[in-house]
Each structure stands twice: as structure tokens, then as C-alpha cells.
Amino acid sequence: MGLHIVTPLLASTAFPARPGARVWLKMEALQPSGSFKLRGIGHACEVHAARGARRIVASSGGNAGLAAAYAGRRLGLPTLVVVPETTSARARSLLAREGAEVRVHGLSFQEANAHAHGVLGAQDAFVHPFDDPLLWEGHAGMIDEVAQAGVRPDAVVLAVGGGGLLSGVVAGLRRQGWNAVPVFAVETVGADSYAQSLAAGERIELPAIASIATSLGARKVSEHAFGLARTHPVTPFVVGDGEAVAACLRFMDDHRVVVEPACGAALALAYRQDGPLAAFSNVLVIVCGGATATVAQLQAWDAQLR
Ligand SMILES: *Cc1c(COP(=O)(O)O)cnc(C)c1O
């Protein structure tokens, strides 16, 4: 069931680990829309379609929009994606390739988002990129798959934008009774709204996103993701853009899969020698993916940030 696929769980030897320790990769980059987002958004769209929705509307030019467009096409529902003028030609063409109607409106995500809400009709389903329990429910399935494969992680590494992935993974861990398994929640400098919020003890809003990891660019994390750190062991971690990009290129060589810097942030922590993961014996890395960066773009960033 579902619009997503069951992704491979690879035991990787490419990451530093002490003797006998394993690093497991949940390969969400291989989802047909290019990222884990299809799990949650696919689930949400299926629920909305079953409730009678006739159109899907999203306001993300990134992986959430791509997942919505893919889901809409598979469900036979027209999909409207409203994006700001800053959205790259590549992202627009990926959306169009999925058959979505791409409407360009405004100079910022906020303007595009407001326009999308303004055009919502009674039979339209709006898809939020991270703050929706239906999304978390869908994302949680990746942890069910890990358990079904017979793997019990003792630490999880993932990237945090608005916190939808984190919310889903923690829900999945709880469903397995793995309430004590720590989660390392990684962001890039300039997109570190989660780390800053935890440090401040309240949800803070970044004035702007100053990172190339645009998929982590939620200026404010969801209330739910923020609150989770009180009831689950979550450790925030922040890496530089350069380290995230270098991790993408290294991962490309190691595993022959292209991912965005947003995903590279999580990989960067896993690649660190003597980092906080060195203490664990079954580390699960969520390779969340991302379809908006190309190899040439990664190489150009690397040259620029080196
Ligand atoms: C959306 C996204 C993230 C961040 O997920 P959140 O649910 O917003 O925390 C990380 N990596 C990629 C590739 C994404 O598309």
C-alpha cells in the first residue's frame, strides 16, 4: 500500500565505525520523487483523495512539491504547485515533468504560500511540507521497514528542516518500543532553526535562511518537533555548508547516489571521525535524498566553499 516504495536498507562500510559496529543506510533517496517526502505526502494525498479531494495544492518548489506532484499524478488528481520567482528552472521543470501545474507567484516562499492558500477551494487538499500528523504517520513507515528487516538501531541520524522527518521517525521508533534510541538531528549553519530553538528553550524564527541547504530552510520548526526534544532523546547538531556538500560528493563516490546538501548534513555527521556516533554499534542514517541538486551544482558549491 502507499505511493512510496520500500527502500533498501544497506549495511555500509564507507563510514568510520569501531570494529564490529554497523552503519545502516535507509535509502530514501531512491523514492520515485527523489526524497522521503513521498512517504508522508503520498499518505496525506491518499487520505485526502479518499475523503473526496479533487485537487492537490502545494506551495513548495522543492521536494515537498515534487512529492505532491508525483502523488497527484498517481492518484489521477490535478496538482497545482505555487512557487516563488526564486525557484530554479530545474525545480520548475521537474514539477512540470510530473504533470503539475506550476504557478509562479511572488518573491518569497511566504508570498507563494499565501497565494496558494488564497486559491484553495472546498474540494482542494493543501499539502504542508512538514507540519501535519498525516505526514508524520507516513514518514514513520520507514522505521517499520527497518524493524521488519530485523535491524534494531541504537542511534539514528537525520536532517531537520521544519521537523516533519524528525516527527515521523520518532513516531516510528515509539511504535517499535524504541523510546530510548537517541536521534541526532542535523542542520546546516544558517538553517539551524531547530538547534537555536532548543538552545533558547523556545521556538525561534530565523530572520532569513543563510545556507545552500534550501530543503532545511524552514525559518521556524513545528511546535510538535520542538516539543519532542522534551520526551525523546534528541541531540541537535550543526555542520557547515562546505562539510555538507563534501559529504554529498563523498557519498556519491561511496554509494553512487546523488543527494542534496540537506541530506549531506546528516551524512557529514556520519562521516566524522570520532564524532558522537563513535559510541554506538548500530547507527541508522536516514539518507533522505533530494532531487533539486545536480552533480554539476554540487561540484560548483564544493569549489566555492572549499
Ligand atoms: C524536506 C527535506 C528535509 C527536511 O525535512 P523536514 O521534515 O522539513 O524536517 C531534509 N532533506 C530533504 C532532502 C528534504 O526534502
mmCIF file of all heavy atoms in Angstrom, residues 35-37 63-64 129-130 139 159-166 215-216 260 262-263 288-290, ligand 1:
data_model
loop_
_atom_site.group_PDB
_atom_site.id
_atom_site.type_symbol
_atom_site.label_atom_id
_atom_site.label_comp_id
_atom_site.label_asym_id
_atom_site.label_seq_id
_atom_site.Cartn_x
_atom_site.Cartn_y
_atom_site.Cartn_z
ATOM 1 N N SER A 35 12.920 11.811 -2.700
ATOM 2 C CA SER A 35 13.158 12.006 -1.264
ATOM 3 C C SER A 35 12.112 11.279 -0.435
ATOM 4 O O SER A 35 11.078 10.845 -0.945
ATOM 5 C CB SER A 35 13.128 13.497 -0.902
ATOM 6 O OG SER A 35 11.788 13.943 -0.774
ATOM 7 N N PHE A 36 12.402 11.199 0.880
ATOM 8 C CA PHE A 36 11.477 10.583 1.843
ATOM 9 C C PHE A 36 10.114 11.256 1.854
ATOM 10 O O PHE A 36 9.144 10.676 2.354
ATOM 11 C CB PHE A 36 12.076 10.683 3.259
ATOM 12 C CG PHE A 36 11.979 12.069 3.833
ATOM 13 C CD1 PHE A 36 10.927 12.424 4.653
ATOM 14 C CD2 PHE A 36 12.913 13.035 3.497
ATOM 15 C CE1 PHE A 36 10.808 13.726 5.150
ATOM 16 C CE2 PHE A 36 12.799 14.333 3.975
ATOM 17 C CZ PHE A 36 11.741 14.676 4.802
ATOM 18 N N LYS A 37 10.032 12.502 1.363
ATOM 19 C CA LYS A 37 8.783 13.268 1.495
ATOM 20 C C LYS A 37 7.593 12.540 0.901
ATOM 21 O O LYS A 37 6.465 12.733 1.326
ATOM 22 C CB LYS A 37 8.922 14.645 0.847
ATOM 23 C CG LYS A 37 9.818 15.578 1.615
ATOM 24 C CD LYS A 37 9.138 16.863 1.950
ATOM 25 C CE LYS A 37 9.940 17.745 2.887
ATOM 26 N NZ LYS A 37 11.362 17.927 2.507
ATOM 27 N N ASN A 63 11.314 19.457 -2.625
ATOM 28 C CA ASN A 63 10.953 18.038 -2.601
ATOM 29 C C ASN A 63 9.520 17.781 -2.153
ATOM 30 O O ASN A 63 8.930 16.769 -2.539
ATOM 31 C CB ASN A 63 11.944 17.291 -1.715
ATOM 32 C CG ASN A 63 13.341 17.349 -2.300
ATOM 33 O OD1 ASN A 63 13.556 16.965 -3.440
ATOM 34 N ND2 ASN A 63 14.281 17.885 -1.535
ATOM 35 N N ALA A 64 8.947 18.696 -1.359
ATOM 36 C CA ALA A 64 7.545 18.521 -0.954
ATOM 37 C C ALA A 64 6.637 18.721 -2.169
ATOM 38 O O ALA A 64 5.682 17.962 -2.376
ATOM 39 C CB ALA A 64 7.179 19.503 0.157
ATOM 40 N N PRO A 129 4.466 21.104 3.881
ATOM 41 C CA PRO A 129 5.723 20.347 3.725
ATOM 42 C C PRO A 129 6.190 19.607 4.980
ATOM 43 O O PRO A 129 6.966 18.656 4.867
ATOM 44 C CB PRO A 129 6.743 21.411 3.311
ATOM 45 C CG PRO A 129 6.143 22.722 3.681
ATOM 46 C CD PRO A 129 4.657 22.550 3.661
ATOM 47 N N PHE A 130 5.775 20.024 6.189
ATOM 48 C CA PHE A 130 6.288 19.311 7.375
ATOM 49 C C PHE A 130 5.356 19.282 8.580
ATOM 50 O O PHE A 130 5.518 18.421 9.439
ATOM 51 C CB PHE A 130 7.654 19.888 7.791
ATOM 52 C CG PHE A 130 7.649 21.365 8.112
ATOM 53 C CD1 PHE A 130 7.239 21.821 9.355
ATOM 54 C CD2 PHE A 130 8.061 22.293 7.159
ATOM 55 C CE1 PHE A 130 7.245 23.184 9.641
ATOM 56 C CE2 PHE A 130 8.074 23.659 7.445
ATOM 57 C CZ PHE A 130 7.659 24.101 8.696
ATOM 58 N N HIS A 139 5.766 9.122 7.195
ATOM 59 C CA HIS A 139 7.225 9.036 7.375
ATOM 60 C C HIS A 139 7.600 7.897 8.323
ATOM 61 O O HIS A 139 8.648 7.260 8.174
ATOM 62 C CB HIS A 139 7.789 10.344 7.949
ATOM 63 C CG HIS A 139 7.642 11.542 7.042
ATOM 64 N ND1 HIS A 139 7.421 11.454 5.691
ATOM 65 C CD2 HIS A 139 7.701 12.875 7.323
ATOM 66 C CE1 HIS A 139 7.354 12.685 5.187
ATOM 67 N NE2 HIS A 139 7.516 13.552 6.145
ATOM 68 N N ALA A 159 18.391 14.580 9.012
ATOM 69 C CA ALA A 159 18.431 16.026 8.792
ATOM 70 C C ALA A 159 17.116 16.640 9.270
ATOM 71 O O ALA A 159 16.071 15.991 9.236
ATOM 72 C CB ALA A 159 18.636 16.329 7.305
ATOM 73 N N VAL A 160 17.197 17.889 9.728
ATOM 74 C CA VAL A 160 15.998 18.594 10.187
ATOM 75 C C VAL A 160 15.813 19.896 9.425
ATOM 76 O O VAL A 160 16.727 20.718 9.340
ATOM 77 C CB VAL A 160 16.085 18.924 11.698
ATOM 78 C CG1 VAL A 160 14.882 19.763 12.133
ATOM 79 C CG2 VAL A 160 16.143 17.655 12.515
ATOM 80 N N GLY A 161 14.625 20.047 8.856
ATOM 81 C CA GLY A 161 14.218 21.321 8.259
ATOM 82 C C GLY A 161 13.146 21.902 9.170
ATOM 83 O O GLY A 161 13.423 22.537 10.179
ATOM 84 N N GLY A 162 11.884 21.603 8.843
ATOM 85 C CA GLY A 162 10.786 22.015 9.716
ATOM 86 C C GLY A 162 10.470 20.989 10.781
ATOM 87 O O GLY A 162 9.667 21.234 11.682
ATOM 88 N N GLY A 163 11.054 19.805 10.641
ATOM 89 C CA GLY A 163 10.890 18.786 11.670
ATOM 90 C C GLY A 163 9.881 17.696 11.352
ATOM 91 O O GLY A 163 9.535 16.898 12.225
ATOM 92 N N GLY A 164 9.425 17.616 10.106
ATOM 93 C CA GLY A 164 8.479 16.554 9.745
ATOM 94 C C GLY A 164 9.140 15.180 9.756
ATOM 95 O O GLY A 164 8.567 14.206 10.260
ATOM 96 N N LEU A 165 10.342 15.109 9.212
ATOM 97 C CA LEU A 165 11.071 13.835 9.198
ATOM 98 C C LEU A 165 11.354 13.376 10.635
ATOM 99 O O LEU A 165 11.125 12.220 10.992
ATOM 100 C CB LEU A 165 12.371 13.984 8.400
ATOM 101 C CG LEU A 165 13.290 12.764 8.355
ATOM 102 C CD1 LEU A 165 12.595 11.556 7.748
ATOM 103 C CD2 LEU A 165 14.571 13.082 7.578
ATOM 104 N N LEU A 166 11.829 14.307 11.454
ATOM 105 C CA LEU A 166 12.107 14.002 12.862
ATOM 106 C C LEU A 166 10.834 13.502 13.555
ATOM 107 O O LEU A 166 10.858 12.491 14.271
ATOM 108 C CB LEU A 166 12.636 15.260 13.558
ATOM 109 C CG LEU A 166 12.791 15.168 15.081
ATOM 110 C CD1 LEU A 166 13.875 14.173 15.460
ATOM 111 C CD2 LEU A 166 13.104 16.540 15.678
ATOM 112 N N SER A 215 16.471 22.825 1.382
ATOM 113 C CA SER A 215 15.437 21.911 1.879
ATOM 114 C C SER A 215 15.385 21.884 3.405
ATOM 115 O O SER A 215 14.450 21.336 3.978
ATOM 116 C CB SER A 215 15.655 20.500 1.339
ATOM 117 O OG SER A 215 15.482 20.490 -0.062
ATOM 118 N N LEU A 216 16.387 22.467 4.047
ATOM 119 C CA LEU A 216 16.351 22.587 5.513
ATOM 120 C C LEU A 216 15.861 23.971 5.915
ATOM 121 O O LEU A 216 15.862 24.327 7.092
ATOM 122 C CB LEU A 216 17.744 22.349 6.114
ATOM 123 C CG LEU A 216 18.423 21.027 5.778
ATOM 124 C CD1 LEU A 216 19.743 20.899 6.533
ATOM 125 C CD2 LEU A 216 17.503 19.855 6.095
ATOM 126 N N GLU A 260 20.983 15.904 -2.062
ATOM 127 C CA GLU A 260 21.131 17.345 -1.818
ATOM 128 C C GLU A 260 21.965 17.612 -0.557
ATOM 129 O O GLU A 260 22.038 16.764 0.328
ATOM 130 C CB GLU A 260 19.752 17.972 -1.564
ATOM 131 C CG GLU A 260 18.893 18.135 -2.770
ATOM 132 C CD GLU A 260 17.537 18.756 -2.396
ATOM 133 O OE1 GLU A 260 17.406 19.352 -1.303
ATOM 134 O OE2 GLU A 260 16.617 18.624 -3.208
ATOM 135 N N ALA A 262 21.047 19.161 1.940
ATOM 136 C CA ALA A 262 20.187 18.927 3.115
ATOM 137 C C ALA A 262 20.458 17.536 3.677
ATOM 138 O O ALA A 262 20.564 17.340 4.891
ATOM 139 C CB ALA A 262 18.714 19.055 2.717
ATOM 140 N N CYS A 263 20.583 16.577 2.796
ATOM 141 C CA CYS A 263 20.864 15.194 3.188
ATOM 142 C C CYS A 263 22.341 15.062 3.543
ATOM 143 O O CYS A 263 22.713 14.335 4.474
ATOM 144 C CB CYS A 263 20.497 14.281 2.015
ATOM 145 S SG CYS A 263 20.825 12.548 2.297
ATOM 146 N N CYS A 288 17.980 10.923 3.311
ATOM 147 C CA CYS A 288 16.661 11.493 2.963
ATOM 148 C C CYS A 288 16.564 11.900 1.497
ATOM 149 O O CYS A 288 15.476 12.071 0.982
ATOM 150 C CB CYS A 288 16.331 12.634 3.900
ATOM 151 S SG CYS A 288 17.616 13.893 4.041
ATOM 152 N N GLY A 289 17.710 12.093 0.806
ATOM 153 C CA GLY A 289 17.678 12.285 -0.634
ATOM 154 C C GLY A 289 17.636 13.738 -1.074
ATOM 155 O O GLY A 289 18.388 14.573 -0.589
ATOM 156 N N GLY A 290 16.711 14.035 -1.983
ATOM 157 C CA GLY A 290 16.595 15.390 -2.521
ATOM 158 C C GLY A 290 16.895 15.402 -3.993
ATOM 159 O O GLY A 290 17.949 14.921 -4.426
HETATM 160 C C1 LIG B 1 12.259 18.211 3.455
HETATM 161 C C2 LIG B 1 13.623 17.699 3.475
HETATM 162 C C3 LIG B 1 14.386 17.672 4.656
HETATM 163 C C4 LIG B 1 13.875 18.206 5.962
HETATM 164 O O1 LIG B 1 12.702 17.569 6.385
HETATM 165 P P1 LIG B 1 11.733 18.257 7.422
HETATM 166 O O2 LIG B 1 10.596 17.333 7.525
HETATM 167 O O3 LIG B 1 11.339 19.603 6.876
HETATM 168 O O4 LIG B 1 12.480 18.400 8.708
HETATM 169 C C5 LIG B 1 15.648 17.139 4.593
HETATM 170 N N1 LIG B 1 16.167 16.670 3.441
HETATM 171 C C6 LIG B 1 15.471 16.673 2.298
HETATM 172 C C7 LIG B 1 16.102 16.144 1.074
HETATM 173 C C8 LIG B 1 14.171 17.188 2.275
HETATM 174 O O5 LIG B 1 13.479 17.189 1.140
#
